[in-house]
Amino acid sequence: MKNKHASHASSIFTSIPCIIVTGVFTFIAALYGTPMVFSLLSALFLLALFSRVWAWISGKGLKAEIRTRGRNLFSGESMDIDIEIRNEKFFPNAWMDLIMPLPKKLSIVTEETRKPDQGEVIPLLAGHFSTELIGIKRLGSMRPFEEMKISVPLHAERRGVCDLSSWTLRTGDGIGVSESEIRIENGGIIVVYPALLEVNTAPFLKNLWNADTGSRGVMEDVSVIRSTRDYQKGDSIKHVNWRMLARSLPLSVNVYEDILPKSIHLIFDGESFSGPSYHLNEMEEMISIIASELVELKHHGVRCFLSICSGATGKARCIIPKDGIDEALYALSLYEPLEEKLNEAGLEVVAQPSEFELTSISKSRSGVGHFFYFAYDSASLPETIANMIPEDNLTLISYIDTRDKRSQRHMSVEKLRRREK
């Protein structure tokens, strides 16, 4: 594991150039200077060299690895990150700190935080981390060949991604002049999914079938008999096998093959919440509603497509059912609107069109029973999508609806919120 000098946390006099320059001036002072000047320079040179070597030895043979496997959680939840630390040398460590850069938007925070030092701000900016807070955990000293296991509690504040690859152990000399840092292995990322809300799934299930369904959202294909079984109290008379009964056989019922209904396709227009009029709080709620609906619909056995427009974090995407719900939740966790765009005069923020992966949306039509378009205003529906999907197969879900022509059906986002009684 690489043992790196933490220049931003150490005294400038412990840097290699300063040690060399101080050594040169000490040699010159020994030849031509006064005893007082030589004493001061030699003391400074020896202190800097001693501190630098001490810090290097402290970091040498120090290894740390993250042991936690599952790293996905929903906003509002907490988790612990387990770290194993080993000191594989004869030399003890006088002190150790665990330094944890936090996401830029503080999607995850640690129990102990502090404001970054002045020398830490530039590295944090370069790594796209928060410059408001930095996580820290003081670990104390460590004896030779000692092993230590620690647990770091984390709390998810909002959706996003936390990169653990920049977490480091910081140690150094006992007088706090020079420090070394060691990168923690097996970093990876933690994904914070959008917050789960109490939502109403009825509007989505209603558009898939007009037949009675089971608790898992499946239908019985009455054209395919899988098997028969003895009649039990409560069985529907429609399922009685009359042919076997006509042969004077015991009363039995047919067991039909279960089939899934058609899929649904959710389309999220994140740019409709962006400039020039921003509605970011509403966007966060809409993302949480979509994520919550995906989770609930999965429990009902409904296959879902999810299309997301292009944004600051990447191009437009279409997640298909076989990709899995985790991939859909991950895409929602990452989404951020495009950066502001000014008009030609550079005075006003202008709206930017929402760009979707239209080819994937078009291909999904054959297996999709209904499309749902999520936006702040239904008027933001692009003509390309409106012309691609039949009006009867498309429902617009938004906070407001300012369209002049209301051909597609509209549903207020209020209908998707499940209020506590």
Side-chain angles (χ1 to χ4, degrees), residues 43-172:
L44 181 61
F45 171 73
L46 292 174
L47 176 63
L49 181 62
F50 176 72
S51 297
R52 179 67 183 253
V53 172
W54 188 351
W56 178 79
I57 294 175
S58 295
K60 186 177 177 59
L62 196 61
K63 295 185 178 180
E65 183 178 2
I66 294 176
R67 293 294 189 180
T68 303
R69 295 186 179 274
R71 300 182 187 177
N72 300 333
L73 71 165
F74 288 92
S75 179
E77 295 181 342
S78 298
M79 70 178 299
D80 292 337
I81 294 294
D82 298 321
I83 302 177
E84 184 180 283
I85 305 170
R86 299 185 303 277
N87 184 13
E88 300 178 345
K89 62 180 182 298
F90 287 100
F91 197 81
N93 288 83
W95 61 273
M96 291 189 307
D97 287 345
L98 175 62
I99 305 298
M100 299 165 282
L102 301 175
K104 189 174 184 179
K105 293 194 174 181
L106 296 175
S107 56
I108 278 186
V109 294
T110 58
E111 284 188 340
E112 300 176 56
T113 58
R114 62 168 172 80
K115 289 189 176 182
D117 298 331
Q118 187 175 0
E120 295 172 323
V121 172
I122 293 178
L124 290 174
L125 281 172
H128 303 286
F129 294 107
S130 171
T131 56
E132 299 177 27
L133 294 174
I134 188 169
I136 184 171
K137 187 175 181 66
R138 304 197 182 280
L139 306 178
S141 60
M142 198 170 189
R143 298 188 299 272
F145 300 103
E146 183 182 1
E147 290 189 5
M148 179 187 298
K149 293 182 180 179
I150 63 171
S151 185
V152 182
L154 302 177
H155 183 71
E157 298 286 342
R158 68 182 299 274
R159 65 183 180 87
V161 174
C162 179
D163 185 4
L164 307 184
S165 61
S166 293
W167 284 19
T168 59
L169 278 181
R170 196 174 290 176
T171 186

Side-chain angles (χ1 to χ4, degrees), residues 206-218:
K206 180 180 177 181
N207 284 280
L208 291 179
W209 52 73
N210 294 318
D212 293 332
T213 62
S215 60
R216 289 186 56 81
V218 297

Side-chain angles (χ1 to χ4, degrees), residues 348-419:
E348 296 180 355
V349 177
V350 297
Q352 301 182 69
S354 302
E355 297 181 359
F356 291 92
E357 200 174 90
L358 297 177
T359 302
S360 298
I361 295 176
S362 178
K363 287 181 178 179
S364 72
R365 288 182 299 174
S366 60
V368 169
H370 205 81
F371 289 81
F372 295 88
Y373 189 85
F374 295 81
Y376 178 77
D377 186 350
S378 296
S380 62
L381 175 69
E383 288 294 325
T384 50
I385 293 181
N387 296 332
M388 182 186 302
I389 303 171
E391 295 176 1
D392 293 340
N393 287 355
L394 178 61
T395 296
L396 308 181
I397 301 175
S398 65
Y399 287 87
I400 60 174
D401 187 7
T402 61
R403 292 174 297 162
D404 295 330
K405 298 180 181 179
R406 300 172 183 254
S407 51
Q408 294 91 359
R409 69 184 75 176
H410 174 260
M411 181 191 308
S412 171
V413 70
E414 289 286 338
K415 292 188 177 181
L416 299 184
R417 300 191 187 104
R418 184 179 295 171
R419 301 299 184 185

Side-chain angles (χ1 to χ4, degrees), residues 112-312:
E112 300 176 56
T113 58
R114 62 168 172 80
K115 289 189 176 182
D117 298 331
Q118 187 175 0
E120 295 172 323
V121 172
I122 293 178
L124 290 174
L125 281 172
H128 303 286
F129 294 107
S130 171
T131 56
E132 299 177 27
L133 294 174
I134 188 169
I136 184 171
K137 187 175 181 66
R138 304 197 182 280
L139 306 178
S141 60
M142 198 170 189
R143 298 188 299 272
F145 300 103
E146 183 182 1
E147 290 189 5
M148 179 187 298
K149 293 182 180 179
I150 63 171
S151 185
V152 182
L154 302 177
H155 183 71
E157 298 286 342
R158 68 182 299 274
R159 65 183 180 87
V161 174
C162 179
D163 185 4
L164 307 184
S165 61
S166 293
W167 284 19
T168 59
L169 278 181
R170 196 174 290 176
T171 186
D173 59 48
I175 56 179
V177 176
S178 181
E179 298 183 10
S180 293
E181 59 183 10
I182 299 89
R183 186 68 58 88
I184 296 179
E185 293 182 345
N186 195 27
I189 61 173
I190 298 175
V191 181
V192 180
Y193 294 150
L196 290 181
L197 306 176
E198 292 290 329
V199 292
N200 177 24
T201 59
F204 300 93
L205 300 176
K206 180 180 177 181
N207 284 280
L208 291 179
W209 52 73
N210 294 318
D212 293 332
T213 62
S215 60
R216 289 186 56 81
V218 297
M219 297 186 296
E220 290 181 331
D221 187 352
V222 295
S223 64
V224 181
I225 299 176
R226 187 171 59 191
S227 62
T228 60
R229 60 171 174 79
D230 294 339
Y231 177 85
Q232 297 177 2
K233 186 178 180 180
D235 286 338
S236 173
I237 194 172
K238 296 178 182 179
H239 295 170
V240 171
N241 192 316
W242 299 105
R243 183 174 299 178
M244 295 181 67
L245 186 62
R247 297 177 181 176
S248 300
L249 294 174
L251 184 62
S252 61
V253 294
N254 296 324
V255 178
Y256 299 103
E257 191 69 43
D258 290 336
I259 60 171
L260 285 173
K262 283 192 172 183
S263 304
I264 61 174
H265 197 140
L266 312 183
I267 304 174
F268 173 59
D269 182 359
E271 275 305 304
S272 65
F273 297 85
S274 187
S277 298
Y278 290 89
H279 308 280
L280 299 184
N281 289 335
E282 290 84 352
M283 184 189 75
E284 292 300 326
E285 182 187 35
M286 187 69 89
I287 289 176
S288 287
I289 287 175
I290 294 173
S292 303
E293 295 288 0
L294 288 171
V295 171
E296 290 295 323
L297 291 170
K298 177 178 173 59
H299 293 160
H300 285 279
V302 179
R303 301 168 70 249
C304 298
F305 290 79
L306 174 65
S307 286
I308 300 179
C309 66
S310 58

